[in-house]
Amino acid sequence: MHINPLEKKWLFASLALVAVFLGSIFYTAFERNIHPPSHVETVDSAKLHLGGEFAEDKLGVVGQADGSVRVTLVAGRYGFYPRQMSVPAGRPVTFRIASMDVLHGVHVPMTNMGTMVVPGYVAQVTTVFPKPGEYPMLCNEYCGMGHDHMWSRITVVAADQWQPTATTKGSN
Amino acid sequence: MCDKDIKKLALAHLWVAFGAFGVASLLGFYQVVERSGLIPALKSPALYYGSVSTHGVLMAFVLTTFFIMGFGYHTAANNGAGFNRCAAWAGFWVAAVGTLLAALPLLTGNASVLFTFYPPMQAHPLFYIGATLLVVGSWVWCVLMVMAAGAWKQANPGAAMPLPLFATTGNAILWLWSSVGVALEVVFQLIPWSLGLVDTIDVGLARTLFSWTLHPIVYFWLIPAYIALYSFVPLAAGGKLFSEELARAAFVLIVVFGLPIGFHHLYMDPMQASGWKLAHGVGTYVVAIPTLITAFTVIASLEMAGRARGGQGLFGWIGALPWNQPMVLAAGLSLLMLLLGGFGGLVNASYAMNAMVHNTAWVPGHFHLIFAGTVVTLYFAVAYRLWPSLTGKAFRKPCLVLGQLWSWFGGMAILTTPWHILGLLGQPRRISSVEYDSPLVQSWGAYEAIMIAGGLVLLLSALLFVYNLASAHWQGEASGEDTVAYAEPLHPPGKIPALLNGYAVWNWVILLLMAASFGYPIAQFFLMKTFDSSPWGY
Ligand SMILES: [Cu+2]
């Protein structure tokens, strides 16, 4: 084996570079608790409409007793239901989404609100929207010929002006 | 070593590869135009998604697989490793028939499931069966390569296997391991389901199995490009390979660590827990090391060649390099694109940062730089390098060869820069037109218009590439070139440790790593109560 001293230096530099990247990932994961949405929970996609959390009358935005907000959505070709939502700025918002048909993805551009919506599984993601405004909530996974049209509107309002629009549990 | 039959075998594979590439380039151009919305008459989601599916399958599966097989047979034969030629032709025909079978539903709009198969959207069974046959044909190649390397070692006991042969064998082993995931998905899930034998399908399991294949496949495409960087580039620049031992180590690292990292494609999926995603994320960063080694060794080899040609000072050697050599030019351009694309890849691979760019236009921007930029540019260069010996004909106008490489680079720069910006502006990747009524989307239009210019340059460059090959093959003058030479290492390898001269032990390491990284994540679907998707077509 022949390893040039220059090669050795470069190997150490490469390892150090990778260590820096991994170090920052570990720091954000373990110290700041920042993870991608990874909620291993199954749901029967074919029976969403028959009752339970994702039944028609349970969908929407709900304020929680601890000040956080929960949004329950069904994704289906071609829309997120409900189509309009209003959430407060600066407060943790947890989205729970189930697909009633194929694979979808959800993303609010310019924010880190996003997750894949896989039929058979509940997709859950928690985020905080810092700034009030109107945002499109897009389907970002190809789901059929109408995919381009699959989007809903999410309005982020200042926390003191926010009113829950859907059924509420316990908070009011 | 490389007789007429081998040349015919290699040429047959390369022409299928580059024919598919030409067709796919036309579709690519159509897509940037359609997506821009500038020509309303072109607007059609059905055509668009059919076109995206066909473009992806042709580029990612047909171009690559046939190129890798043809180049691999040629490399083995040129490095003194024999194989059964009848079996090689049988593999070619199985793969070619598979490609044709898959093309029928693709071109008639009955397989618009994109190149990742996207269950529970269902394609015609012929699509899945054709894709399977393509993979089966490639398995024939893998087995022949592994056997050829074994025969070489038996005939040359104790000797160091030639680097190109060592790397090709590694690629065959990598592909055997990595294609198992998609094979399980297609054979046990997609085919029975598309034939109507079962009604429904577990999408979480299907996506997990696909992710097993989805990242190492990138290394399957990349290894032949690295072979060109190590074996052809130093020689074309007039120098030697700086380090052959480290090159071997890089190939081993890619084969071993390329495999257990597929979950970085599932970062945003709900069915795998975060610990597994983090573990695969760590592996993803580890596999950046062989690429850093490759960049170093290739640049060091180029620097030695440049200094030997009289280049002086810190950067003077760069100007002294023979940039009119297609192989040297391709190396320079592809390393540049690898650097930029690699940066984008680090963002994608970042466990949490990925959320900002996941499924946005950033992603195709990134992988077009890496795949269409780095990998395909080196495929071009390999074709230009092999053509005079394969066909016996010389290129009539070398300036057209250089112009083609430059235009491909220019087109990629024009296409991928706005693509990355659109990603940061939140544009999703797989849409055929922008339908969102939001002020945000108004900032997207100008970038899409620029992308049309990039697509046009790339289309012209692709057609020029096919023209260059065809005109040399059928109208070129005799090249007088019969064999292909490989770069000599600066230090002859001498005694190589067994670990860097074969993969026997590494296969066991891979088995352990795969069991650790995919064992429970696949088993969980059989341990917990899962629900399939709704039946298709109801
Ligand atoms: Cu959708």
Side-chain angles (χ1 to χ4, degrees):
Chain A
M1 278 290 278
H2 174 273
I3 296 189
N4 189 294
L6 207 57
E7 278 172 359
K8 267 191 198 143
K9 278 187 201 156
W10 176 251
L11 275 179
F12 284 124
S14 305
L15 288 171
L17 188 69
V18 168
V20 168
F21 287 138
L22 287 178
S24 26
I25 288 175
F26 285 148
Y27 171 74
T28 51
F30 295 122
E31 282 299 308
R32 310 282 305 278
N33 205 23
I34 300 175
H35 299 275
S38 289
H39 189 71
V40 188
E41 181 185 343
T42 61
V43 67
D44 190 348
S45 291
K47 293 190 179 143
L48 296 180
H49 59 293
L50 298 181
E53 182 186 357
F54 295 98
E56 228 170 297
D57 58 338
K58 303 276 173 39
L59 303 179
V61 186
V62 179
Q64 304 289 106
D66 62 359
S68 69
V69 173
R70 169 172 293 210
V71 186
T72 309
L73 294 171
V74 165
R77 302 199 288 181
Y78 295 102
F80 298 98
Y81 307 98
R83 308 300 309 260
Q84 305 251 9
M85 286 145 276
S86 155
V87 297
R91 278 164 63 178
V93 182
T94 297
F95 292 86
R96 281 175 62 80
I97 313 171
S99 164
M100 62 178 174
D101 44 35
V102 299
L103 186 68
H104 300 279
V106 62
H107 184 215
V108 178
M110 322 295 282
T111 76
N112 64 356
M113 189 283 166
T115 179
M116 300 296 295
V117 186
V118 181
Y121 301 86
V122 177
Q124 178 173 314
V125 56
T126 302
T127 192
V128 176
F129 296 103
K131 270 197 289 187
E134 285 253 317
Y135 297 82
M137 178 191 262
L138 315 178
C139 175
N140 69 2
E141 193 51 271
Y142 167 63
C143 56
M145 295 306 151
H147 166 57
D148 301 342
H149 297 271
M150 181 162 169
W151 65 290
S152 293
R153 208 184 286 279
I154 184 158
T155 311
V156 179
V157 297
D160 50 359
Q161 284 159 28
W162 179 71
Q163 296 252 297
T165 47
T167 45
T168 51
K169 284 177 245 163
S171 60
N172 287 11
Chain B
M1 302 268 200
C2 195
D3 53 48
K4 249 178 130 175
D5 288 348
I6 294 288
K7 289 180 179 175
K8 213 172 136 189
L9 181 68
L11 268 176
H13 282 87
L14 295 185
W15 267 125
V16 173
F18 296 132
F21 167 75
V23 174
S25 300
L26 279 167
L27 297 173
F29 178 62
Y30 158 77
Q31 283 153 225
V32 278
V33 178
E34 201 272 4
R35 191 181 165 116
S36 73
L38 288 179
I39 305 176
L42 276 182
K43 209 169 138 172
S44 160
L47 264 182
Y48 180 84
Y49 293 119
S51 162
V52 173
S53 304
T54 313
H55 174 85
V57 169
L58 287 179
M59 288 295 197
F61 297 146
V62 181
L63 161 67
T64 50
T65 307
F66 278 91
F67 176 87
I68 291 164
M69 292 198 289
F71 184 36
Y73 289 133
H74 181 269
T75 306
N78 267 295
N79 285 281
F83 51 87
N84 184 324
R85 292 163 191 207
C86 291
W89 277 110
F92 170 82
W93 284 111
V94 170
V97 168
T99 303
L100 282 177
L101 289 185
L104 294 174
L106 273 173
L107 293 173
T108 51
N110 290 305
S112 296
V113 291
L114 308 192
F115 88 113
T116 40
F117 301 168
Y118 275 84
M121 301 197 59
Q122 197 179 73
H124 192 277
L126 268 190
F127 172 72
Y128 302 119
I129 293 169
T132 306
L133 289 179
L134 175 60
V135 173
V136 170
S138 72
W139 284 347
V140 173
W141 174 83
C142 292
V143 171
L144 289 177
M145 290 299 101
V146 172
M147 285 170 61
W152 190 96
K153 281 181 97 170
Q154 247 178 3
N156 304 272
M161 203 190 286
L163 181 65
L165 183 61
F166 179 74
T168 302
T169 315
N171 205 16
I173 289 170
L174 171 83
W175 182 235
L176 281 175
W177 273 105
S178 52
S179 52
V180 171
V182 71
L184 292 173
E185 181 198 2
V186 173
V187 172
F188 291 106
Q189 292 194 281
L190 300 183
I191 290 181
W193 167 66
S194 68
L195 288 173
L197 303 177
V198 290
D199 281 343
T200 62
I201 186 168
D202 186 337
V203 182
L205 175 60
R207 286 177 67 74
T208 302
L209 289 174
F210 198 84
S211 80
W212 168 339
T213 302
L214 193 53
H215 204 74
I217 201 175
V218 177
Y219 294 104
F220 174 58
W221 305 334
L222 200 60
I223 284 179
Y226 282 8
I227 293 176
L229 287 176
Y230 283 118
S231 299
F232 291 142
V233 169
L235 187 64
K240 293 187 167 181
L241 175 59
F242 183 67
S243 170
E244 112 120 18
E245 282 92 340
L246 220 54
R248 285 166 188 268
F251 283 117
V252 166
L253 282 174
I254 289 175
V255 173
V256 174
F257 285 102
L259 269 147
I261 58 175
F263 281 13
H264 66 234
H265 292 270
L266 300 182
Y267 277 159
M268 303 299 279
D269 275 43
M271 69 277 172
Q272 294 294 350
S274 48
W276 293 107
K277 294 178 181 175
L278 187 57
H280 283 234
V282 172
T284 305
Y285 279 90
V286 171
V287 85
I289 291 169
T291 292
L292 291 168
I293 293 177
T294 301
F296 173 80
T297 309
V298 174
I299 292 171
S301 307
L302 285 173
E303 180 179 347
M304 283 196 317
R307 295 204 186 280
R309 297 169 63 92
Q312 283 178 353
L314 201 52
F315 296 111
W317 58 271
I318 298 176
L321 287 169
W323 292 111
N324 57 355
Q325 286 281 332
M327 190 56 77
V328 177
L329 178 63
L333 299 178
S334 58
L335 282 175
L336 208 55
M337 290 187 276
L338 184 64
L339 179 76
L340 296 169
F343 169 75
L346 290 175
V347 175
N348 297 339
S350 299
Y351 180 66
M353 213 189 329
N354 168 71
M356 292 292 287
V357 293
H358 173 80
N359 262 350
T360 66
W362 171 278
V363 179
H366 153 71
F367 75 67
H368 275 77
L369 267 181
I370 295 279
F371 175 69
T374 310
V375 172
V376 172
T377 299
L378 286 163
Y379 286 9
F380 292 155
V382 168
Y384 287 140
R385 178 72 193 82
L386 300 188
W387 226 241
S389 94
L390 285 183
T391 63
K393 305 287 180 56
F395 290 102
R396 295 163 75 205
K397 291 201 182 109
C399 62
L400 286 186
V401 169
L402 295 175
Q404 190 271 321
L405 291 172
W406 274 114
S407 58
W408 189 256
F409 174 75
M412 272 302 153
I414 304 172
L415 181 75
T416 57
T417 307
W419 227 338
H420 279 92
I421 298 171
L422 281 171
L424 294 177
L425 292 174
Q427 187 184 74
R429 63 191 279 199
R430 297 182 175 105
I431 48 166
S432 76
S433 64
V434 173
E435 304 290 350
Y436 319 117
D437 163 28
S438 152
L440 173 75
V441 306
Q442 286 169 0
S443 60
W444 295 350
Y447 296 105
E448 296 196 325
I450 301 171
M451 286 175 71
I452 296 180
L456 183 62
V457 174
L458 288 169
L459 174 62
L460 295 176
S461 179
L463 296 178
L464 181 57
F465 171 69
V466 178
Y467 168 79
N468 281 342
L469 294 188
S471 67
H473 194 165
W474 286 292
Q475 296 169 347
E477 287 170 22
S479 66
E481 211 177 316
D482 192 40
T483 53
V484 171
Y486 301 90
E488 303 255 326
L490 184 59
H491 302 281
K495 188 105 185 80
I496 286 277
L499 281 180
L500 292 183
N501 204 29
Y503 297 92
V505 177
W506 297 118
N507 275 317
W508 289 103
V509 176
I510 292 172
L511 182 67
L512 284 176
L513 284 175
M514 287 303 280
S517 57
F518 276 94
Y520 180 76
I522 290 176
Q524 71 165 0
F525 295 104
F526 301 95
L527 299 174
M528 65 184 183
K529 179 155 179 54
T530 55
F531 301 90
D532 288 2
S533 62
S534 314
W536 182 250
Y538 284 77

